Amino acid sequence: MVQPTTLGEFIVENQKDFPFATGDLSHLLTSIRLAAKVVNREINKAGLADILGAMGKDNVQGEAQQKLDVMANDTFMRALRSMGQCCGVASEEEEHYISFDDEIHQDAKYVVLMDPLDGSSNIDVNVSVGTIFSIYRRITPEGTPVTLEDFLQPGDAQVAAGYVVYGSSTMLVYTTGNGVNGFTLDPSIGVFCLSHPDMQIPKSGKIYSVNEGNYVHFPKGVKEYIKYCQQYDAASGRPYTSRYIGSLVSDFHRNLIKGGVYLYPTGTMAPNGKLRLLYECNPLAFIVEQAGGTATNGKQRILELEPSELHERVPFFIGSPEMVDMAHAFLRRYEEE
Ligand code: AHM
Ligand code: MG
């Protein structure tokens, strides 16, 4: 039997491809890998333990925090704090960034931005959820407390990004800027094994993913693009199939593998869209570009956007490059209306 490459082995083997290879990034990825396993274990038994349901309070975004949101946030925070490579974390669940200022963090170079449990409103009904993370080198000098500036970097400055999808199997997918690789957790031995090397998104696909409940609120260009997706055209394989889980990581992961486009546009109800630039859009944009795909806000590459706030929202168009291009063509055509 051929021994699978484990995530631990892969991280170490690929350390040399990283321009600042000191091993710190590898350690950081190791902390994230361990925390993901803990979160996976808790999610798997969610129906048995008293950890389902709402906490009874809202997070900074005004969304009801689930008990598992809090568990996932605490687990990743603990894992990142316990090692010496990370000097600060920004999370969807925390209004302000957290600075790690203990002795062991004095030489830490990296900040992490994350959505610890994305799609958590799905958790009570046993639908796949995820974790999304993004890693940057700090801008301010080592040994000083991190500042907002360390977190408000454009996505192009990311050194690594990834997600975990807690689905019918649990997978961790990540990039350090040298392609995208996916690892499936073998639950019998508790190890992530390389299952999807060098992931590439198909140039086009047959899936469009959008919350059509918001249709009447969308800009004209988006409405017309959705109609285009639904029209019959044998040559281009339309009508496309509509698939929307409402769990960004799962919707993205499916489209990455099968080819497709995911849209969360502006709307009269959500003038800037819903998804957060720093810990939802940027990491997935880095991954999709590394896999040959495209991610924009409808006009500009997501990775070029200059963030101005920690929890900033942006419209999001991501997926197979030809499909995102076509969505853009519709947006441009109806821009004035
Ligand atoms: P969350 O991070 O609080 O879970 O919110 C983000 C989620 C995404 O996973 C998903 O794509 C989106 O919200 C769904 O929003 P909607 O219910 O408006 O379609
Ligand atoms: Mg989220």
Side-chain angles (χ1 to χ4, degrees), residues 212-220 222-223 265-270:
E212 285 184 79
N214 295 328
Y215 183 87
V216 295
H217 305 288
F218 287 151
K220 177 92 165 133
V222 173
K223 287 182 181 162
T266 56
T268 45
M269 307 284 284

Side-chain angles (χ1 to χ4, degrees), residues 59 63 92 115 117-121 211 214 244 246-249 251 262 264 274-276 280:
N59 66 12
E63 293 156 354
E92 179 180 323
D115 182 352
L117 201 60
D118 180 68
S120 53
S121 62
N211 184 343
N214 295 328
Y244 189 75
S247 211
L248 174 63
V249 171
D251 281 309
Y262 176 98
Y264 210 112
K274 175 179 182 189
L275 298 173
R276 275 57 55 117
E280 293 178 322

Side-chain angles (χ1 to χ4, degrees), residues 102-132:
D102 308 306
E103 192 56 37
I104 60 161
H105 306 115
Q106 291 307 302
D107 298 327
K109 297 185 198 64
Y110 295 105
V111 293
V112 176
L113 295 96
M114 64 187 324
D115 182 352
L117 201 60
D118 180 68
S120 53
S121 62
N122 288 312
I123 194 88
D124 286 0
V125 291
N126 214 347
V127 171
S128 302
V129 291
T131 293
I132 315 175

Side-chain angles (χ1 to χ4, degrees), residues 139 149 151-157 277-278 282 297 300-309 312 314:
I139 293 175
E149 190 192 352
F151 296 94
L152 299 187
Q153 301 189 49
D156 265 333
L277 173 61
L278 289 176
N282 269 338
N297 64 356
Q300 243 184 311
R301 276 175 74 231
I302 287 290
L303 297 180
E304 284 170 6
L305 301 176
E306 289 287 343
S308 51
E309 289 171 40
E312 176 174 350
V314 286

Side-chain angles (χ1 to χ4, degrees), residues 209-278:
S209 311
V210 60
N211 184 343
E212 285 184 79
N214 295 328
Y215 183 87
V216 295
H217 305 288
F218 287 151
K220 177 92 165 133
V222 173
K223 287 182 181 162
E224 293 300 317
Y225 177 65
I226 291 173
K227 282 189 208 157
Y228 164 88
C229 294
Q230 295 168 342
Q231 274 154 9
Y232 176 72
D233 179 53
S236 56
R238 286 181 287 131
Y240 297 151
T241 297
S242 166
R243 289 283 181 272
Y244 189 75
I245 298 168
S247 211
L248 174 63
V249 171
S250 313
D251 281 309
F252 173 76
H253 182 70
R254 180 200 53 242
N255 292 358
L256 175 64
I257 290 176
K258 295 193 163 199
V261 62
Y262 176 98
L263 331 173
Y264 210 112
T266 56
T268 45
M269 307 284 284
N272 299 315
K274 175 179 182 189
L275 298 173
R276 275 57 55 117
L277 173 61
L278 289 176

